[in-house]
Amino acid sequence: MKLFTRYFRINLLATLLIFLLASIAFYFLLWWVMINQMDEDLKIEQREIQTYVSKYNRPPEPITVKDQRISYEQTEIHEYSHHFSTIKSPDRHEREDFRQISFTIPVGNQWLLFKVSKSLEGTQNMNRSIIIISLLTVILILVVSLLINRWLLRRLWQPFYSTLSGVKKFRLGEKKPLGFTSSSIDEFNLLNKTLDQFIQGAEKEYTLLKEFT
């Protein structure tokens, strides 16, 4: 296997792994941010209900619309509490998820458990769209990067193959200058200089041996 091919495969696998891990991390981070934003909206709804109850001393009317639902019921919990959860739609014909906040507040002589839920359909669609756009962008960057690397590596290694071609044509005793091509890379220039010194030494030894014979 050629060094270039081996490097290209290792670079490809490493790049794919990095982009895959980055995409997964980005997905969960984006989802966490959107859920936090949804929870903040639900807290606003909670404060509005508490304000309404404090002002009128009665619960607001239950609301059931496509994107939001508000309901309440009596509870045995006689203390303030609240928690968030992600639930499925109670309608069997709907497959969307809802983000819900449940909290208790006293209303008159009883405690009520309020449940306010908002649809996650818009959040999920936005998250899905952003992920698709991000993946397409990552794939485009990956393809362009690999093509550039492939072209760049071939160009960088061209002096090496030129030197190798000159060494293959070398014949001891012909005294033909190889004329190694100068390169902008120090390592290849060092290689050419070392080979040139070695060939000159070999030519000198060959001439001495021929004269001795």
Side-chain angles (χ1 to χ4, degrees):
M1 181 185 296
K2 291 184 178 180
L3 178 62
F4 169 77
T5 304
R6 186 174 183 84
Y7 170 82
F8 185 76
R9 290 183 180 180
I10 294 175
N11 184 60
L12 177 62
L13 291 176
T15 305
L16 286 175
L17 181 61
I18 292 172
F19 277 127
L20 179 61
L21 294 177
S23 299
I24 294 174
F26 177 69
Y27 172 81
F28 284 107
L29 177 62
L30 183 63
W31 180 251
W32 178 78
V33 170
M34 289 185 171
I35 288 296
N36 280 350
Q37 182 61 48
M38 180 67 72
D39 291 347
E40 290 298 323
D41 293 341
L42 290 173
K43 286 181 181 179
I44 294 175
E45 295 291 337
Q46 176 186 356
R47 288 194 292 269
E48 290 180 353
I49 292 175
Q50 290 172 335
T51 302
Y52 185 91
V53 170
S54 178
K55 183 176 181 180
Y56 297 102
N57 199 28
R58 62 182 177 86
E61 293 295 329
I63 298 176
T64 301
V65 294
K66 177 176 174 58
D67 297 329
Q68 180 173 322
R69 293 168 182 171
I70 300 176
S71 63
Y72 62 88
E73 60 186 18
Q74 287 186 340
T75 179
E76 298 297 327
I77 303 175
H78 291 178
E79 61 181 9
Y80 289 98
S81 64
H82 78 275
H83 72 276
F84 296 95
S85 59
T86 301
I87 63 172
K88 296 289 183 181
S89 172
D91 190 348
R92 296 181 178 180
H93 300 289
E94 295 180 353
R95 296 183 178 180
E96 60 183 304
D97 296 333
F98 283 79
R99 187 66 175 173
Q100 178 176 278
I101 182 174
S102 303
F103 60 94
T104 56
I105 55 174
V107 181
N109 297 323
Q110 60 183 353
W111 284 78
L112 297 181
L113 173 64
F114 285 85
K115 295 180 179 179
V116 182
S117 56
K118 285 181 174 290
S119 173
L120 289 174
E121 182 180 9
T123 302
Q124 291 172 336
N125 290 338
M126 181 182 297
N127 194 28
R128 193 177 298 113
S129 300
I130 293 175
I131 290 299
I132 291 175
I133 294 174
S134 300
L135 286 177
L136 291 177
T137 304
V138 166
I139 291 174
L140 179 61
I141 293 174
L142 180 62
V143 171
V144 172
S145 176
L146 291 176
L147 290 177
I148 291 176
N149 284 337
R150 191 176 182 88
W151 172 80
L152 183 61
L153 283 174
R154 287 186 181 277
R155 186 171 182 179
L156 289 176
W157 279 93
Q158 187 59 41
F160 171 78
Y161 289 111
S162 177
T163 299
L164 189 62
S165 176
V167 172
K168 286 182 179 180
K169 296 177 181 179
F170 171 72
R171 294 294 181 270
L172 195 61
E174 292 184 355
K175 296 183 179 181
K176 291 182 179 180
L178 296 179
F180 292 128
T181 304
S182 179
S183 173
S184 59
I185 301 175
D186 294 338
E187 287 78 4
F188 290 146
N189 288 329
L190 179 61
L191 175 63
N192 294 341
K193 182 179 179 180
T194 304
L195 286 175
D196 189 57
Q197 292 174 352
F198 173 77
I199 290 173
Q200 289 180 9
E203 285 282 5
K204 184 177 180 180
E205 293 291 335
Y206 176 78
T207 302
L208 291 175
L209 180 62
K210 186 176 180 181
E211 291 176 353
F212 174 77
T213 303

